Amino acid sequence: MSCSRRKFIASGCALVLGTGLANIPLVQSMTINGKRYAMLHDESKCIGCTACMDACRETNLVPEGVSRLEIIRSEPQGEYPDANYSFFRKSCQHCDNPPCVEVCPSGASFRDEETGIVDVNPDKCVGCQYCVAACPYQVRFIHPEKNTPDKCNFCRDTNLAQGKLPACVSACPTQALIFGDANDPASAISQQIATKPTYRNKVPLGTDPQLFRIADRNGDLPS
Ligand code: SF4
Ligand code: SF4
Ligand code: SF4
């Protein structure tokens, strides 16, 4: 993997364009009646401990060998012993224009209009894996026990259903993750987005990702 965030993102875009996925027609952004859940990863606070990954696996019963969430570490920036690292969260972006939903022939991949969460209904899945191929962020995988696509769903059926924050957010020891309703101007995530410089991944593809990021001051600026 390339060492800088700029190169990491650029190489990801090149891969997507190279597979022709950029030509998938994207649905018009839908109006959400109610909440619009989003997440912010503050890379300047992230220490790469992967407690979020462990919490996600435990809460959502994700088997070993697959993952809904990865924290990707950059190559060292600077020389030992003063080297720094940046950390990049790879997980579903809960796109407002989700190609995975657009290509699904059975309605198994869907976007919950009450919350904006993109999720998978295994009972409707016909196993074509179109959604796995269509995701420009490459965050979908085949669940080895259910045999259907799986990915982050903001803990929709686990912690959220119990009125709790997503497991990764609660587990983070540095408060690098913020989750909330981006439709509510008073929410913590809305305040952060309004007052701090954030970026999102692969915005030119038109997916309108709802995973926001604050760049690590040690890393390159995002493209
Ligand atoms: S990141 Fe991929 S799986 Fe998630 S909503 Fe966007 S296209 Fe779908
Ligand atoms: S929001 Fe839930 S499902 Fe998504 S990465 Fe965090 S713990 Fe996993
Ligand atoms: S738990 Fe927090 S600090 Fe640790 S890797 Fe995840 S986001 Fe970064």
Side-chain angles (χ1 to χ4, degrees), residues 40-43 45-55 69-72 87-89 167-177:
L40 172 74
H41 183 215
D42 187 341
E43 296 167 4
K45 288 185 177 177
C46 182
I47 57 174
C49 65
T50 70
C52 50
M53 292 174 56
D54 296 340
L69 163 63
E70 289 179 58
I71 296 293
I72 299 173
F87 300 98
F88 184 85
R89 178 184 166 110
C168 56
V169 176
S170 296
C172 179
T174 65
Q175 288 79 53
L177 294 168

Side-chain angles (χ1 to χ4, degrees), residues 15-217:
L15 179 62
V16 168
L17 293 171
T19 57
L21 293 176
N23 294 325
I24 292 172
L26 297 173
V27 295
Q28 199 68 29
S29 186
M30 291 171 280
T31 302
I32 299 296
N33 300 316
K35 299 182 190 306
R36 201 306 154 224
Y37 284 131
M39 191 173 284
L40 172 74
H41 183 215
D42 187 341
E43 296 167 4
S44 70
K45 288 185 177 177
C46 182
I47 57 174
C49 65
T50 70
C52 50
M53 292 174 56
D54 296 340
C56 177
R57 185 177 303 286
E58 183 177 342
T59 297
N60 297 298
L61 305 177
V62 181
E64 293 294 334
V66 291
S67 182
R68 289 183 170 193
L69 163 63
E70 289 179 58
I71 296 293
I72 299 173
R73 192 179 77 169
S74 71
E75 294 295 321
Q77 299 150 3
E79 298 293 326
Y80 178 85
D82 298 318
N84 288 309
Y85 298 88
S86 295
F87 300 98
F88 184 85
R89 178 184 166 110
K90 181 180 178 185
S91 64
C92 178
Q93 320 279 306
H94 294 277
C95 306
D96 264 357
N97 279 326
C100 57
V101 172
E102 178 70 14
V103 300
C104 178
S106 67
S109 286
F110 68 99
R111 184 172 181 275
D112 177 25
E113 293 208 19
E114 293 300 316
T115 60
I117 294 175
V118 177
D119 206 351
V120 185
N121 181 349
D123 294 336
K124 286 189 173 181
C125 181
V126 295
C128 64
Q129 299 189 26
Y130 288 176
C131 60
V132 177
C135 173
Y137 301 92
Q138 299 175 307
V139 295
R140 286 182 172 243
F141 59 89
I142 301 301
H143 194 290
E145 292 161 6
K146 300 177 190 168
N147 232 12
T148 50
D150 198 81
K151 63 170 195 68
C152 164
N153 66 352
F154 280 164
C155 292
R156 180 171 174 264
D157 54 342
T158 53
N159 277 22
L160 274 197
Q162 298 165 20
K164 297 190 253 179
L165 283 171
C168 56
V169 176
S170 296
C172 179
T174 65
Q175 288 79 53
L177 294 168
I178 297 176
F179 174 83
D181 181 7
N183 277 356
D184 176 4
S187 69
I189 192 164
S190 293
Q191 295 286 316
Q192 290 278 312
I193 293 168
T195 58
K196 296 193 174 167
T198 59
Y199 77 99
R200 296 177 293 161
N201 197 201
K202 300 180 180 176
V203 169
L205 295 181
T207 51
D208 202 356
Q210 296 300 305
L211 176 55
F212 294 81
R213 307 164 192 275
I214 294 176
D216 183 358
R217 64 187 184 283

